[in-house]
Amino acid sequence: MDYLDSLNPAQRLAVEHTDGPVMIIAGAGSGKTRVLTYRIAHLIYGKGVDAFNILSLTFTNKAAAEMRHRIESLAGLEARNTWMGTFHSVFAKILRVEAPKIGYPSNFTIYDSDDSKSLIRTIVKEMRLDDKVYKPNAVLSRISGAKNRLISWKVYQDDPFVKADDEAAMKPKMGEIYQRYQDRLFKAGAMDFDDLLFNTNVLFRDHLDVLNKYQQRFRYVMVDEFQDTNLSQYLITKKLAAVHQNICVVGDDAQSIYAFRGADIQNILNFEKDYPDLFVVKLEQNYRSTKTIVDAANSIIDKNKAQLKKNVWTSNCDGDLIELIKASTDSEEGRIVASTIFEERNTKKLSNSDFAILYRTNSQSRAIEEALRKLNLTYKIVGGLSFYQRKEIKDLMAYMRFTVNPVDEEAFKRIVNYPKRGIGDTSVDKILVAAFDHDMQLWEVVQNAHSFIAGRAASQLDDFATMIKAFKIEVERKDAFEAASSIAKQSGLLRELYEDKTIEGLNRYENVQELLNAIKEYVDNEENEDKSLGSFLQEIALLTDNDRDKDTTDAITLMTIHSSKGLEFKQVFVVGMEEDLFPSQMMIQSREDLEEERRLFYVATTRAMEKLYFTYALTRYRFGRLLNCEPSRFLEEVSADCIKVNKRVASKEMSGAFRSEGLPGTTGSSGYIGIKKKPETRMPTAMKLHTPSPDFKPSNTNNLQAEQLVEHPKFGFGKVQKIETEGINRKATIQFEHFGEKTLLLSFAKLRIID
């Protein structure tokens, strides 16, 4: 048929094989969306299948809308009758009809995460539990994980292993909170997002007539991004396809990167066990990237043991070698990236939107953002706020602003009851009104709170004023970093963030540490004569004064690698390629974890169409200290034929813009910019990492002392030189046999105590 002639042989086979179970293994850039679109169009136009009998499940509304539009252009308006959308949207539609069968009204409310957290706060308060222990984020994350594994509150409470986990985490009441949470949702006629899937499973389990109704309706079931499905999603699709067996799953195990959200890669790896007569099609031709990038990606993912083997190839040109760029610091890394983009954009007539900068954690964006701003390069943050717009950053900045300028009303309102001090909105309003009515400065009213409000709030405001006075003394006597560190600790803000052990909580804590790193760099910069906190705040205020009305459609994209999945750019920078950062030290507990981190690296690599850069820094500020870094082990896994080492610095045109940062000039560089000299093509030799002992198991390091012998899973054996405690952080300086002296944060380091 004419409309199929544009497909390559593998794509056409995947489209035309419509009956029975089918698995389409779609390599990166292989035209997966095109195949799904044509497959549905072929069912409707070529096979005469009623569009009402087709169910197509995706993971984003954007993907569903794009596919629907493409299908309409091929098969006409009939395509609109296809059941197509995200798991949550499709099953919410079913529940609207069937919910009364499981006790919910048809017009049930769907709670978003803010609604859920608010309800959890109320329950924790009613149970008179410590809200510092039972934080809404952590509680909701625990409940969500249970629902995704189809664990009801009753099963949760009856499981001795779950109970033991909660007791070990000092949260023995978690099961009771889960029960109350579900009771309150039910009484309110509400479901949260996880309930939409959980309750669909309950509906199909307890009402076989309803299950049969939808099994007959959906004669053809298709699931996109199958590698990202969790247990709940997997079981729903399996039940729906049980009668006709016309199930088609599309995915790439090499791009399974959402285990932390409950995704189970085993769903795609073991799919053939559920369907012994499975027909498998491999889409292996990459249309997106150069041959160099495709070969590099293959060499990376080949190191994983758990995978469905495929041979991704391309007929595209070889293209440029991947550039490996070493920077002395994370700030220099940002400057080199910004300078390179500036040059590439101008010399190759590219747009800002042709570039993407990918990083492992959001906190890495700060140095990149500052460098881009200094060159007046427009950028946008995807999947997160600009670094200085994040709540935790604005909170600490507000503390510093109010200390320096105690008539700053907006800063006052932001910090006066955060962390919570029992100073409610009514008391805050009275203070602000009194300042206005009596024509007094805000700080004067705050210091004399007893004259304007009564009760406990007045005493709390007195304590708040005393704290700010102490901060002002610190600011007068100390440099910006010392003062900011003291404010972060003594305000309670740092502890508040540190005690939230969810992924989001850890990210917020890292972000605040990154702000302190920025202040430390400011103080350490010899060209900044005024080291005061006030001077730093002024510089940041000027640096972050973005024009909100500015058109940002043509912008450089900054995002985490997780957020980049499914996207493509002409030039891609993967920054922070360092051990403990990528792969992340906190995310590697097993081989499965390491392989997921490697898949994440594969995803980052395959976003690039024409040119790819890997960058790393030899030193990086973390936790207010300048730490030595090592190149990521992943760099050694890239085929040496695909990569070249370059010593980039900011070009001569850029040197003026960066001079205040102390950027070295171009003299003595490799000459990649300005001097014709062949760049190095040899990968740096990295030390072989230690293989942990067979009985390796991390010890409790709460009582670790100097002179003790320890084993680290990467650095091997060493002796503890000293233990330091800075606020809530406890650090150990250890002399390792083969890796020299390392300073490790004990809350993150995994050490086996030998004696």
PDB file of all heavy atoms in Angstrom, residues 86 99 160 186 204 219 254 263 294-295 342 364 382 422 435 495 498 528 582 606 706 727:
ATOM      1  N   THR A  86      -2.589   8.786  28.190  1.00  0.00           N
ATOM      2  CA  THR A  86      -1.728   8.240  29.235  1.00  0.00           C
ATOM      3  C   THR A  86      -2.482   7.187  30.032  1.00  0.00           C
ATOM      4  O   THR A  86      -3.714   7.116  29.987  1.00  0.00           O
ATOM      5  CB  THR A  86      -1.272   9.346  30.196  1.00  0.00           C
ATOM      6  OG1 THR A  86      -2.423   9.861  30.886  1.00  0.00           O
ATOM      7  CG2 THR A  86      -0.582  10.488  29.450  1.00  0.00           C
ATOM      8  N   ALA A  99     -16.787   3.559  38.649  1.00  0.00           N
ATOM      9  CA  ALA A  99     -16.404   3.786  40.048  1.00  0.00           C
ATOM     10  C   ALA A  99     -17.463   3.363  41.072  1.00  0.00           C
ATOM     11  O   ALA A  99     -17.104   2.855  42.150  1.00  0.00           O
ATOM     12  CB  ALA A  99     -16.037   5.255  40.253  1.00  0.00           C
ATOM     13  N   PRO A 160       5.186  -8.345  57.849  1.00  0.00           N
ATOM     14  CA  PRO A 160       6.204  -8.137  58.894  1.00  0.00           C
ATOM     15  C   PRO A 160       7.476  -7.471  58.375  1.00  0.00           C
ATOM     16  O   PRO A 160       8.146  -6.741  59.106  1.00  0.00           O
ATOM     17  CB  PRO A 160       6.494  -9.559  59.395  1.00  0.00           C
ATOM     18  CG  PRO A 160       6.074 -10.460  58.275  1.00  0.00           C
ATOM     19  CD  PRO A 160       4.924  -9.775  57.607  1.00  0.00           C
ATOM     20  N   PHE A 186     -11.434   8.088  50.662  1.00  0.00           N
ATOM     21  CA  PHE A 186     -12.681   7.393  50.322  1.00  0.00           C
ATOM     22  C   PHE A 186     -13.898   8.186  50.790  1.00  0.00           C
ATOM     23  O   PHE A 186     -14.866   8.363  50.039  1.00  0.00           O
ATOM     24  CB  PHE A 186     -12.679   5.996  50.946  1.00  0.00           C
ATOM     25  CG  PHE A 186     -13.843   5.140  50.539  1.00  0.00           C
ATOM     26  CD1 PHE A 186     -13.855   4.534  49.288  1.00  0.00           C
ATOM     27  CD2 PHE A 186     -14.923   4.942  51.382  1.00  0.00           C
ATOM     28  CE1 PHE A 186     -14.928   3.744  48.893  1.00  0.00           C
ATOM     29  CE2 PHE A 186     -15.994   4.160  50.998  1.00  0.00           C
ATOM     30  CZ  PHE A 186     -15.997   3.551  49.744  1.00  0.00           C
ATOM     31  N   PHE A 204     -10.993  -4.504  38.070  1.00  0.00           N
ATOM     32  CA  PHE A 204     -10.888  -5.668  37.190  1.00  0.00           C
ATOM     33  C   PHE A 204     -10.776  -6.971  37.985  1.00  0.00           C
ATOM     34  O   PHE A 204     -11.216  -8.029  37.522  1.00  0.00           O
ATOM     35  CB  PHE A 204      -9.682  -5.520  36.263  1.00  0.00           C
ATOM     36  CG  PHE A 204      -9.847  -4.459  35.201  1.00  0.00           C
ATOM     37  CD1 PHE A 204      -8.747  -3.989  34.492  1.00  0.00           C
ATOM     38  CD2 PHE A 204     -11.091  -3.927  34.915  1.00  0.00           C
ATOM     39  CE1 PHE A 204      -8.892  -3.024  33.507  1.00  0.00           C
ATOM     40  CE2 PHE A 204     -11.255  -2.955  33.937  1.00  0.00           C
ATOM     41  CZ  PHE A 204     -10.154  -2.498  33.230  1.00  0.00           C
ATOM     42  N   ARG A 219      -9.891  -4.745  21.315  1.00  0.00           N
ATOM     43  CA  ARG A 219      -9.386  -5.908  20.583  1.00  0.00           C
ATOM     44  C   ARG A 219      -7.890  -5.777  20.310  1.00  0.00           C
ATOM     45  O   ARG A 219      -7.194  -6.773  20.123  1.00  0.00           O
ATOM     46  CB  ARG A 219     -10.149  -6.064  19.273  1.00  0.00           C
ATOM     47  CG  ARG A 219     -11.592  -6.506  19.440  1.00  0.00           C
ATOM     48  CD  ARG A 219     -12.289  -6.546  18.095  1.00  0.00           C
ATOM     49  NE  ARG A 219     -11.528  -7.345  17.128  1.00  0.00           N
ATOM     50  CZ  ARG A 219     -11.637  -7.209  15.802  1.00  0.00           C
ATOM     51  NH1 ARG A 219     -12.448  -6.291  15.308  1.00  0.00           N
ATOM     52  NH2 ARG A 219     -10.922  -7.968  14.994  1.00  0.00           N
ATOM     53  N   ALA A 254      17.313  -0.407  26.867  1.00  0.00           N
ATOM     54  CA  ALA A 254      18.503   0.422  27.080  1.00  0.00           C
ATOM     55  C   ALA A 254      18.145   1.815  27.572  1.00  0.00           C
ATOM     56  O   ALA A 254      19.024   2.575  27.982  1.00  0.00           O
ATOM     57  CB  ALA A 254      19.312   0.520  25.791  1.00  0.00           C
ATOM     58  N   ALA A 263       9.273   2.002  38.014  1.00  0.00           N
ATOM     59  CA  ALA A 263       9.370   1.271  36.756  1.00  0.00           C
ATOM     60  C   ALA A 263      10.193   0.000  36.949  1.00  0.00           C
ATOM     61  O   ALA A 263      11.184  -0.005  37.679  1.00  0.00           O
ATOM     62  CB  ALA A 263      10.005   2.148  35.679  1.00  0.00           C
ATOM     63  N   VAL A 294      26.429   7.046  17.361  1.00  0.00           N
ATOM     64  CA  VAL A 294      25.767   5.739  17.455  1.00  0.00           C
ATOM     65  C   VAL A 294      26.754   4.678  17.946  1.00  0.00           C
ATOM     66  O   VAL A 294      26.432   3.864  18.828  1.00  0.00           O
ATOM     67  CB  VAL A 294      25.157   5.341  16.100  1.00  0.00           C
ATOM     68  CG1 VAL A 294      24.696   3.880  16.116  1.00  0.00           C
ATOM     69  CG2 VAL A 294      23.992   6.257  15.757  1.00  0.00           C
ATOM     70  N   ASP A 295      27.963   4.670  17.384  1.00  0.00           N
ATOM     71  CA  ASP A 295      28.969   3.679  17.801  1.00  0.00           C
ATOM     72  C   ASP A 295      29.355   3.872  19.266  1.00  0.00           C
ATOM     73  O   ASP A 295      29.553   2.895  20.006  1.00  0.00           O
ATOM     74  CB  ASP A 295      30.216   3.795  16.919  1.00  0.00           C
ATOM     75  CG  ASP A 295      29.971   3.286  15.499  1.00  0.00           C
ATOM     76  OD1 ASP A 295      28.935   2.641  15.277  1.00  0.00           O
ATOM     77  OD2 ASP A 295      30.819   3.555  14.617  1.00  0.00           O
ATOM     78  N   PHE A 342      28.885  29.656  22.357  1.00  0.00           N
ATOM     79  CA  PHE A 342      28.958  30.971  21.703  1.00  0.00           C
ATOM     80  C   PHE A 342      29.673  30.854  20.353  1.00  0.00           C
ATOM     81  O   PHE A 342      29.211  31.383  19.339  1.00  0.00           O
ATOM     82  CB  PHE A 342      29.692  31.953  22.620  1.00  0.00           C
ATOM     83  CG  PHE A 342      29.644  33.379  22.157  1.00  0.00           C
ATOM     84  CD1 PHE A 342      28.671  34.239  22.636  1.00  0.00           C
ATOM     85  CD2 PHE A 342      30.578  33.860  21.248  1.00  0.00           C
ATOM     86  CE1 PHE A 342      28.628  35.562  22.209  1.00  0.00           C
ATOM     87  CE2 PHE A 342      30.547  35.177  20.812  1.00  0.00           C
ATOM     88  CZ  PHE A 342      29.561  36.036  21.300  1.00  0.00           C
ATOM     89  N   GLN A 364      23.666  21.132  39.670  1.00  0.00           N
ATOM     90  CA  GLN A 364      24.793  21.427  38.781  1.00  0.00           C
ATOM     91  C   GLN A 364      24.525  22.620  37.869  1.00  0.00           C
ATOM     92  O   GLN A 364      25.445  23.138  37.238  1.00  0.00           O
ATOM     93  CB  GLN A 364      25.122  20.204  37.918  1.00  0.00           C
ATOM     94  CG  GLN A 364      25.701  19.024  38.676  1.00  0.00           C
ATOM     95  CD  GLN A 364      25.790  17.787  37.807  1.00  0.00           C
ATOM     96  OE1 GLN A 364      25.041  16.843  37.958  1.00  0.00           O
ATOM     97  NE2 GLN A 364      26.714  17.803  36.872  1.00  0.00           N
ATOM     98  N   VAL A 382      14.426  23.133  31.861  1.00  0.00           N
ATOM     99  CA  VAL A 382      13.339  22.191  31.618  1.00  0.00           C
ATOM    100  C   VAL A 382      13.265  21.227  32.788  1.00  0.00           C
ATOM    101  O   VAL A 382      14.278  20.711  33.242  1.00  0.00           O
ATOM    102  CB  VAL A 382      13.561  21.403  30.309  1.00  0.00           C
ATOM    103  CG1 VAL A 382      12.496  20.329  30.133  1.00  0.00           C
ATOM    104  CG2 VAL A 382      13.553  22.353  29.134  1.00  0.00           C
ATOM    105  N   GLY A 422       5.549  29.024  64.975  1.00  0.00           N
ATOM    106  CA  GLY A 422       4.299  29.367  65.649  1.00  0.00           C
ATOM    107  C   GLY A 422       3.897  30.816  65.451  1.00  0.00           C
ATOM    108  O   GLY A 422       3.154  31.378  66.268  1.00  0.00           O
ATOM    109  N   ALA A 435       3.539  48.581  61.324  1.00  0.00           N
ATOM    110  CA  ALA A 435       4.627  49.338  60.702  1.00  0.00           C
ATOM    111  C   ALA A 435       4.060  50.443  59.816  1.00  0.00           C
ATOM    112  O   ALA A 435       4.563  51.573  59.804  1.00  0.00           O
ATOM    113  CB  ALA A 435       5.522  48.406  59.893  1.00  0.00           C
ATOM    114  N   ARG A 495      18.884  22.162  58.555  1.00  0.00           N
ATOM    115  CA  ARG A 495      18.422  20.940  59.221  1.00  0.00           C
ATOM    116  C   ARG A 495      17.068  20.496  58.677  1.00  0.00           C
ATOM    117  O   ARG A 495      16.815  19.301  58.484  1.00  0.00           O
ATOM    118  CB  ARG A 495      18.338  21.157  60.734  1.00  0.00           C
ATOM    119  CG  ARG A 495      17.846  19.928  61.504  1.00  0.00           C
ATOM    120  CD  ARG A 495      17.954  20.121  63.005  1.00  0.00           C
ATOM    121  NE  ARG A 495      19.329  20.196  63.439  1.00  0.00           N
ATOM    122  CZ  ARG A 495      20.097  19.122  63.647  1.00  0.00           C
ATOM    123  NH1 ARG A 495      19.620  17.906  63.449  1.00  0.00           N
ATOM    124  NH2 ARG A 495      21.339  19.265  64.040  1.00  0.00           N
ATOM    125  N   TYR A 498      17.802  18.768  55.476  1.00  0.00           N
ATOM    126  CA  TYR A 498      18.619  17.568  55.668  1.00  0.00           C
ATOM    127  C   TYR A 498      17.781  16.392  56.161  1.00  0.00           C
ATOM    128  O   TYR A 498      18.028  15.238  55.797  1.00  0.00           O
ATOM    129  CB  TYR A 498      19.732  17.858  56.665  1.00  0.00           C
ATOM    130  CG  TYR A 498      20.637  16.684  56.942  1.00  0.00           C
ATOM    131  CD1 TYR A 498      21.637  16.322  56.046  1.00  0.00           C
ATOM    132  CD2 TYR A 498      20.486  15.919  58.100  1.00  0.00           C
ATOM    133  CE1 TYR A 498      22.461  15.247  56.288  1.00  0.00           C
ATOM    134  CE2 TYR A 498      21.313  14.840  58.355  1.00  0.00           C
ATOM    135  CZ  TYR A 498      22.300  14.506  57.449  1.00  0.00           C
ATOM    136  OH  TYR A 498      23.106  13.430  57.687  1.00  0.00           O
ATOM    137  N   ASN A 528      37.583  39.782  43.692  1.00  0.00           N
ATOM    138  CA  ASN A 528      36.489  40.397  44.447  1.00  0.00           C
ATOM    139  C   ASN A 528      37.067  40.997  45.728  1.00  0.00           C
ATOM    140  O   ASN A 528      37.326  40.291  46.699  1.00  0.00           O
ATOM    141  CB  ASN A 528      35.408  39.364  44.782  1.00  0.00           C
ATOM    142  CG  ASN A 528      34.705  38.863  43.542  1.00  0.00           C
ATOM    143  OD1 ASN A 528      34.463  39.630  42.607  1.00  0.00           O
ATOM    144  ND2 ASN A 528      34.367  37.581  43.517  1.00  0.00           N
ATOM    145  N   PHE A 582      28.308  11.061  38.597  1.00  0.00           N
ATOM    146  CA  PHE A 582      27.709  10.259  37.536  1.00  0.00           C
ATOM    147  C   PHE A 582      28.699   9.179  37.146  1.00  0.00           C
ATOM    148  O   PHE A 582      29.655   9.462  36.432  1.00  0.00           O
ATOM    149  CB  PHE A 582      27.366  11.160  36.351  1.00  0.00           C
ATOM    150  CG  PHE A 582      26.484  10.507  35.314  1.00  0.00           C
ATOM    151  CD1 PHE A 582      25.651   9.445  35.651  1.00  0.00           C
ATOM    152  CD2 PHE A 582      26.474  10.953  34.007  1.00  0.00           C
ATOM    153  CE1 PHE A 582      24.833   8.856  34.711  1.00  0.00           C
ATOM    154  CE2 PHE A 582      25.655  10.373  33.053  1.00  0.00           C
ATOM    155  CZ  PHE A 582      24.837   9.333  33.412  1.00  0.00           C
ATOM    156  N   THR A 606      22.582   9.520  23.359  1.00  0.00           N
ATOM    157  CA  THR A 606      21.735   9.388  22.169  1.00  0.00           C
ATOM    158  C   THR A 606      20.803  10.571  21.957  1.00  0.00           C
ATOM    159  O   THR A 606      19.983  10.545  21.035  1.00  0.00           O
ATOM    160  CB  THR A 606      20.916   8.088  22.227  1.00  0.00           C
ATOM    161  OG1 THR A 606      20.183   8.040  23.476  1.00  0.00           O
ATOM    162  CG2 THR A 606      21.832   6.869  22.153  1.00  0.00           C
ATOM    163  N   ALA A 706      39.467   7.869  64.797  1.00  0.00           N
ATOM    164  CA  ALA A 706      40.778   7.938  64.154  1.00  0.00           C
ATOM    165  C   ALA A 706      41.575   6.669  64.456  1.00  0.00           C
ATOM    166  O   ALA A 706      41.391   6.030  65.494  1.00  0.00           O
ATOM    167  CB  ALA A 706      41.537   9.176  64.627  1.00  0.00           C
ATOM    168  N   GLY A 727      28.652  21.261  62.163  1.00  0.00           N
ATOM    169  CA  GLY A 727      27.189  21.345  62.220  1.00  0.00           C
ATOM    170  C   GLY A 727      26.596  19.951  62.228  1.00  0.00           C
ATOM    171  O   GLY A 727      26.880  19.148  63.110  1.00  0.00           O
TER     172      GLY A 727
END
